[in-house]
Amino acid sequence: MAGSAGEGPTSVRGIYEALDYGPAREGAGSAQAWLDAHGRSLGHFIDGKWSKPEGRETWVCKSPATGKSLATTLQGQWEDVEAAVQAATKGFETWSRLACHARARHLYNLTRMIQKHQNTLTVLESLDTGKPVTEARVCDLPLIVRHFYHHAGWAQLMRVEMGGWEPLGVVSAIIPSGSPLVLLAWKVCPALAMGNTVVVLAPPTAQLSALLLAELCTQAGLPSGILNVIAGAEALAGVLATHPGVDAIAFTGSAELGRSLRQMTAGLGKRLSLQLGGRTPVLIFESADLDSAATELTDTLSSHRGLLLGGGAPLVLVQETVAGALVQRLKARLGALRVGEALDRTTDVGGLVDEVWRAALQAHVDEAEAEGAKVFQSWPALPAQGSFYPPTLIVEADTTSRCVREEVFGPVLVVLPFRTTKEAIALANSTPGGLAASIWTEKLPLAMEVACSLQVGTVWINGQSMYDAAASFGGCKESGFGCSGGKEGLYEYVRPSWESRIHSRATDMNYKTFAASSSAAPFPVPGQAKDPHSGPTQEAHRPSVDRTYKLYCGGAQKRSEGLSSRPILDPTGHLMAYIADGSAKDIRNAVEAAHKAAPGWRGRSSHARAQVLFYMAENLGLRQAELAAELAALMGVTPEQAAWEVELSLERLFHWAASCDKHGGGLQDTPLYGTNLLLREPLGVLGIVCPDENPLLSFISLWAPAVAWGNAVIIIPSQCYPLPALGLCQVLDTSDLPGGVLNVITGDRDHLARTLALHQDVQALWYFGSQQGSQLVEWASAGNLKRTWVSCGARRCWEDPSQGAGEEFLSQATHCKSIWVPMGDVFAN
C-alpha cells in the first residue's frame, strides 16, 4: 500500500503489485561540507564576519526529521545585539549613500551567488526545518531568488518610482522557525533595496540557512554590516526591538509576542510591521471542482505541515450539499500521504520544526474529540526518530471549538459545513485573524464578490498558497498590519524625505491612570472674561440667544452623555464659547454610529463618494467669510492669515475629492498564468485625534482622505481651538454625507484618545499630539492590534502639500488586498 513505511515487497512482481515508493534520497554532501568547514560550531554573523564571543550558552541544532545533531550555535545576549546594531548603523552610512544603480548591482550579484549555492541552501533548509526537500527545492528557493531579483530592480528604480522617500535606517527582522529563509527574503530584500541595513534575529530551532545566506552576502561583495544575523531565544526580540539604534521592526510570529512588541516600542518612534498569521479559511462551494480542491488542500497540508506563510493549517468551509463528497476525497488523499525523512524526495509530510508543537496538536485533537467531533487520522508507521504527527482530519466540530478558533501548526484539517454564501462569509470573517483565504468555485462572479467581502489581505481563487515578490501580502485584524511584496511593501522601509529620523525616548508612565479621566478645564475667572452675550441689543432686557456647541454623532448634534462643558478662550483669556466635554460613553456611541454607517459608505462607488466631498467643498465655500472671522478671533491671527487657512482647507477638500477614484488598485505583474488584482480597501472605523496647530486645515486634512477612501471616522478636533471644526458640522448637515460617517467628539484630547485606543471595534487610530499621548496610543492599541499612526510630539507643516496631503495619507487610510485569479482552461499554464 502506498504510504506504508514498513518493508516493501522484495520481488519484482511484488513491487509492481504494490506500486510502493522506493527511497529517493537527496544528497546532503554540500550542506554537510559547509557545516564541517565551520567545525559544526557556528556563531553570529556580524559586520561581514563570524563572531563567537566567549561565555555564551550554546544551542544544539537538530534535524526534526531524524533528531540527529547538525551543529551547535550560540545563544545571543544583549552584547551581541549591541554589536550587530552598531555594525548595521556603520554600514548604513555607506549603503544608504550608494547610488541606486550601485545598490542594484550588489543585490543582483547576491542573487547570482544564491543561485550558485541553491542546492546547499535547499538541503540545509530541509535539514534544519524538517520540511520535505522537494518543497524547499521547488517552492522556497525559487521564491527567494525571485525576491532578490525583483528588489534589485526596485533598488535601480528607487529615485524614479519612490521619489520623495528616504530609507529609515537600521531594520530588525525577527523571523519564526516555519519557513525562515523565505520570510527572511520577504523582509530583507525590500529593506536593502531602499537603502536600509538589517539585523536578523533567527530562531534557535531554524537558523542555519540564515547564517549561510549572511555569509554569501560577504562572498558576493556586499559592504560589511549590511546584513547581520544573530540567534537567540524569543526574549531577545524585545531587546533588539527596543534598542535605540533600531529604526524599524519587521516581525513575523505569534500574536502574543506581536502585542508585547507593540507595547515595548510604544512612544519610541519606531516603524513596526507585524505579520501574525491566523487561520486560513478555505471556502468550497457546490460549484467547485472538488477533486482539484481536495488535491490542493492535501498538497498544502502535507508539504507545509500547516506552517503556511499565510498562517496555520487551513480551516475548510464547504457547502453542505457537497460536504460528504469532499470529506471522502480528503480521507482518500490523506491516507496515501507518506510521512518520513525530509531528504527523501518521495516524502509528503516531514517533521514538525518544534517538538513542543506535537503535544499542542494532540491537545487540540483530543479536545475536539471530547467535544463530539469526529477525527480521522492516517496512521502510517511513523519514523522511530524525529518529531512527526500523522495527517489528521476533524469533522463535525463546533464553531466555538478551540481547533476552529485557534491557529493549528501541523498537518490537521478542520472541516465545517455551511448552507448559504452569506453564512460562509460570516464564518470566515468571524475568525480573529485576517491574513489569507481561498475560494473554490467555477462561477467567477461569485468568487469575486466573496473575495471582496472577506476581511483578509490575500485571496486565492481556485488555488492555494500562491506567492510572488511583485504581489502584496499582508493581513488585517489580529493578523497584524504592514505588507510585503510589490511597491506597496516598499513603504514599510521608507519615510518621507521631509521627515527627520525620530529617536524618541519612552517616558515613565502609569498606563492605568494616565488620561483615565478628563482633565480639569481652565474655567474663566468671573469679572475678567468677556461676556459673550454682552453687546448692543434692541432692548436692554433682551439678551442675545446663546449659541450651544454640541457633539456631532450619527448625523445629528447631541449633548454629551457626561453633561459637562469646557470653556474655549481666545488668546487674551476672554471666553469665546462653551463646548461639550466628551466622555467615554460619547466615544462608544460614536463608534456604534460609525459601524452602522460604514457598510453603506464603503459600498458606494468612489465616484459617489467624490460627489459628496465636492458638495461639501461647495457648501464650505459659502461660509468662508464666517469661518475666517471665527478663526481670526479664536487664534488671534490676522484676517488675511485666517482667510488663507480657510482657502487652503477648501483646496485640501477638493484634493481628496478628486483623489477618490484615482488610486483604487490595479494589476500586479507576476509569473502566474492568470491575473493578480491589487485592491485598496478601507480599514473600517478609524479614530483621528487632531493637533492644535492650523485647527481647521489639519482637521480637514485628516478626516477627508479617511472618508474619501470609504472609512467611517470618529474625530477629536483641536482641544484648544475646536470651534472651526464644530462650525463645519453645519456644512455636513447640508452636504448629503450619511449620518455616522463622520462623528465629531470634543473634549480632553488624551482621555478621548485613550478610549479610542482601547476600543476593540476601532480598526485604526491616528494621533497628532504630544509624545506622551503617542506613547499611550501605541501601548493601548495592542489589545486588538489596531494600526496606529502617531506624531510622537513632532509638528508638521499642514500648509505644505507634501506634509498635509502626501502619499502616506493614502497608505494609512487603506490596506491592500491581493486577489489571485489563475487561468488554464484553454491553454496549459
Side-chain angles (χ1 to χ4, degrees):
M1 172 183 176
S4 173
E7 294 185 3
T10 57
S11 67
V12 174
R13 184 184 184 90
I15 291 173
Y16 275 101
E17 288 179 348
L19 291 178
D20 205 355
Y21 292 97
R25 288 184 55 82
E26 178 74 31
S30 59
Q32 299 289 3
W34 181 76
L35 293 173
D36 289 335
H38 291 278
R40 296 191 178 264
S41 176
L42 303 172
H44 311 301
F45 198 86
I46 299 173
D47 202 18
K49 56 184 178 294
W50 290 98
S51 172
K52 297 181 67 175
E54 299 291 336
R56 300 291 187 267
E57 295 182 3
T58 60
W59 176 274
V60 179
C61 299
K62 297 181 179 180
S63 173
T66 62
K68 296 180 180 178
S69 173
L70 297 172
T72 59
T73 57
L74 299 183
Q75 285 285 75
Q77 295 183 3
W78 181 88
E79 293 84 357
D80 304 317
V81 171
E82 180 69 24
V85 173
Q86 286 185 5
T89 302
K90 181 181 177 182
F92 177 72
E93 298 301 319
T94 302
W95 185 248
S96 61
R97 293 174 183 173
L98 285 179
C100 293
H101 177 62
R103 282 205 301 270
R105 279 195 179 189
H106 276 300
L107 292 179
Y108 179 84
N109 292 341
L110 176 57
T111 310
R112 286 299 201 186
M113 184 63 67
I114 290 172
Q115 287 183 306
K116 292 173 185 177
H117 298 277
Q118 192 163 335
N119 182 68
T120 304
L121 284 164
T122 296
V123 175
L124 196 60
E125 180 84 342
S126 179
L127 286 172
D128 202 18
T129 64
K131 66 172 57 183
V133 70
T134 303
E135 177 196 350
R137 180 182 299 281
V138 176
C139 301
D140 289 7
L141 265 298
L143 185 58
I144 292 163
V145 170
R146 164 74 173 146
H147 267 79
F148 276 96
Y149 270 131
H150 180 77
H151 287 94
W154 279 120
Q156 174 71 40
L157 300 174
M158 181 180 178
R159 290 302 171 206
V160 176
E161 296 290 337
M162 300 292 291
W165 297 88
E166 298 292 336
L168 293 172
V170 176
V171 175
S172 68
I174 304 170
I175 57 177
S177 54
S179 296
L181 206 54
V182 174
L183 292 170
L184 185 149
W186 270 7
K187 301 177 189 314
V188 166
C189 290
L192 295 183
M194 294 296 100
N196 303 278
T197 53
V198 183
V199 177
V200 175
L201 176 61
T205 52
Q207 56 187 292
L208 299 181
S209 54
L211 290 169
L212 174 55
L213 182 62
E215 188 179 60
L216 292 178
C217 288
T218 299
Q219 293 184 21
L222 266 69
S224 299
I226 305 305
L227 177 62
N228 309 273
V229 177
I230 57 177
E234 191 176 83
L236 206 61
V239 177
L240 179 59
T242 56
H243 193 287
V246 171
D247 299 278
I249 302 101
F251 171 77
T252 299
S254 66
E256 291 75 19
L257 185 53
R259 289 189 178 92
S260 179
L261 290 175
R262 170 75 286 173
Q263 294 184 331
M264 288 181 192
T265 58
L268 297 180
K270 299 177 184 291
R271 185 74 60 84
L272 181 62
S273 173
L274 300 177
Q275 184 177 314
L276 306 178
R279 295 308 300 265
T280 303
V282 178
L283 288 72
I284 302 177
F285 293 90
E286 59 186 3
S287 54
D289 181 343
L290 295 183
D291 289 307
S292 296
T295 300
E296 189 70 21
L297 274 173
T298 308
D299 289 345
T300 298
L301 188 68
S302 63
S303 62
H304 291 274
R305 298 149 295 135
L307 301 173
L308 301 178
L309 301 176
L315 172 65
V316 182
L317 306 174
V318 56
Q319 200 150 18
E320 207 171 52
T321 51
V322 293
L326 177 70
V327 169
Q328 287 181 355
R329 287 168 168 79
L330 288 174
K331 286 181 177 180
R333 285 164 175 78
L334 288 177
L337 294 177
R338 293 173 59 85
V339 180
E341 187 180 350
L343 291 186
D344 188 343
R345 290 192 292 269
T346 64
T347 292
D348 295 312
V349 181
L352 300 175
V353 178
D354 197 328
E355 177 70 27
V356 177
W357 291 352
R358 182 164 57 180
L361 277 176
Q362 192 60 52
H364 274 89
V365 174
D366 291 343
E367 185 176 321
E369 199 166 17
E371 292 172 349
K374 295 182 179 179
V375 176
F376 168 81
Q377 285 187 320
S378 169
W379 278 107
L382 297 179
Q385 293 181 325
S387 178
F388 295 92
Y389 196 81
T392 302
L393 180 67
I394 301 177
V395 297
E396 299 183 20
D398 192 81
T399 54
T400 60
S401 177
R402 204 157 62 95
C403 68
V404 173
R405 301 290 300 173
E406 296 183 6
E407 245 181 333
V408 177
F409 291 106
V412 177
L413 275 181
V414 181
V415 178
L416 292 178
F418 66 85
R419 294 182 180 178
T420 65
T421 302
K422 289 184 178 180
E423 182 186 359
I425 295 171
L427 285 171
N429 287 339
S430 68
T431 58
L435 192 56
S438 69
I439 300 168
W440 291 84
T441 176
E442 296 298 299
K443 297 180 178 179
L444 185 58
L446 171 64
M448 293 304 298
E449 188 171 6
V450 173
C452 292
S453 302
L454 294 178
Q455 297 170 3
V456 294
T458 297
V459 179
W460 301 295
I461 295 177
N462 292 333
Q464 190 82 22
S465 304
M466 292 178 281
Y467 308 98
D468 186 66
S472 67
F473 184 83
C476 57
K477 300 194 293 185
E478 290 191 13
S479 290
F481 43 83
C483 71
S484 303
K487 187 175 182 179
E488 291 68 32
L490 302 179
Y491 290 105
E492 301 295 328
Y493 303 98
V494 292
R495 58 176 173 81
S497 299
W498 58 264
E499 184 179 273
S500 302
R501 292 175 68 185
I502 299 176
H503 289 282
S504 301
R505 288 190 175 183
T507 58
D508 291 333
M509 181 185 299
N510 187 335
Y511 291 110
K512 292 184 178 180
T513 60
F514 183 83
S517 58
S518 180
S519 63
F523 210 81
V525 179
Q528 293 185 7
K530 179 175 65 177
D531 182 1
H533 306 306
S534 64
T537 59
Q538 293 180 358
E539 300 180 21
H541 65 275
R542 183 180 298 173
S544 60
V545 177
D546 177 76
R547 181 178 182 182
T548 302
Y549 288 95
K550 299 179 182 179
L551 307 177
Y552 190 76
C553 180
Q557 309 228 2
K558 297 183 179 180
R559 297 186 186 277
S560 170
E561 293 284 350
L563 301 177
S564 59
S565 301
R566 299 175 70 90
I568 300 300
L569 310 179
D570 67 12
T572 64
H574 290 161
L575 177 67
M576 291 285 293
Y578 283 100
I579 64 166
D581 192 12
S583 65
K585 183 61 168 64
D586 295 312
I587 291 291
R588 290 194 290 271
N589 292 342
V591 172
E592 290 179 7
H595 271 286
K596 288 181 182 178
W601 182 245
R602 173 180 178 169
R604 288 198 182 192
S605 69
S606 55
H607 172 72
R609 292 198 298 268
Q611 294 307 300
V612 173
L613 291 182
F614 278 127
Y615 192 24
M616 292 176 68
E618 178 184 335
N619 290 332
L620 175 61
L622 298 176
R623 302 190 60 184
Q624 277 187 266
E626 177 187 344
L627 285 170
E630 186 175 49
L631 191 62
L634 180 65
M635 301 286 293
V637 298
T638 65
E640 292 79 13
Q641 289 174 315
W644 176 240
E645 180 168 342
V646 176
E647 178 63 29
L648 280 179
S649 300
L650 181 60
E651 181 182 334
R652 196 63 49 83
L653 199 52
F654 252 80
H655 172 83
W656 290 115
S659 299
C660 273
D661 56 358
K662 306 299 188 298
H663 305 284
L667 296 178
Q668 300 179 123
D669 189 11
T670 69
L672 171 76
Y673 180 55
T675 302
N676 184 277
L677 304 175
L678 172 68
L679 304 182
R680 284 200 170 272
E681 295 189 335
L683 302 176
V685 173
L686 195 154
I688 300 176
V689 183
C690 297
D692 286 330
E693 59 267 21
N694 300 110
L696 179 62
L697 180 59
S698 61
F699 176 75
I700 290 180
S701 297
L702 286 168
W703 68 254
V707 168
W709 290 104
N711 298 283
V713 172
I714 300 98
I715 189 166
I716 302 167
S718 164
Q719 179 173 314
C720 298
Y721 312 112
L723 299 187
L726 293 174
L728 199 64
C729 291
Q730 295 182 356
V731 173
L732 303 180
D733 287 332
T734 58
S735 301
D736 295 338
L737 186 71
V741 171
L742 182 61
N743 307 273
V744 183
I745 309 295
T746 56
D748 182 272
R749 174 193 291 123
D750 288 341
H751 173 58
L752 298 176
R754 176 192 179 94
T755 307
L756 282 169
L758 291 171
H759 203 295
Q760 296 296 304
D761 276 342
V762 175
Q763 279 71 54
L765 179 56
W766 301 352
Y767 177 92
F768 291 84
S770 66
Q771 198 282 333
Q772 279 191 317
S774 300
Q775 181 176 335
L776 170 70
V777 163
E778 290 190 323
W779 177 86
S781 69
N784 72 339
L785 291 166
K786 61 171 62 70
R787 290 176 57 169
T788 58
W789 184 22
V790 302
S791 64
C792 288
R795 296 167 65 94
R796 69 170 57 203
C797 180
W798 295 97
E799 297 178 358
D800 184 351
S802 64
Q803 299 188 37
E807 204 172 0
E808 58 184 331
F809 286 86
L810 167 64
S811 176
Q812 294 291 346
T814 61
H815 75 88
C816 296
K817 175 181 284 186
S818 187
I819 302 178
W820 295 75
V821 187
M823 299 186 300
D825 277 357
V826 180
F827 302 102
N829 187 353

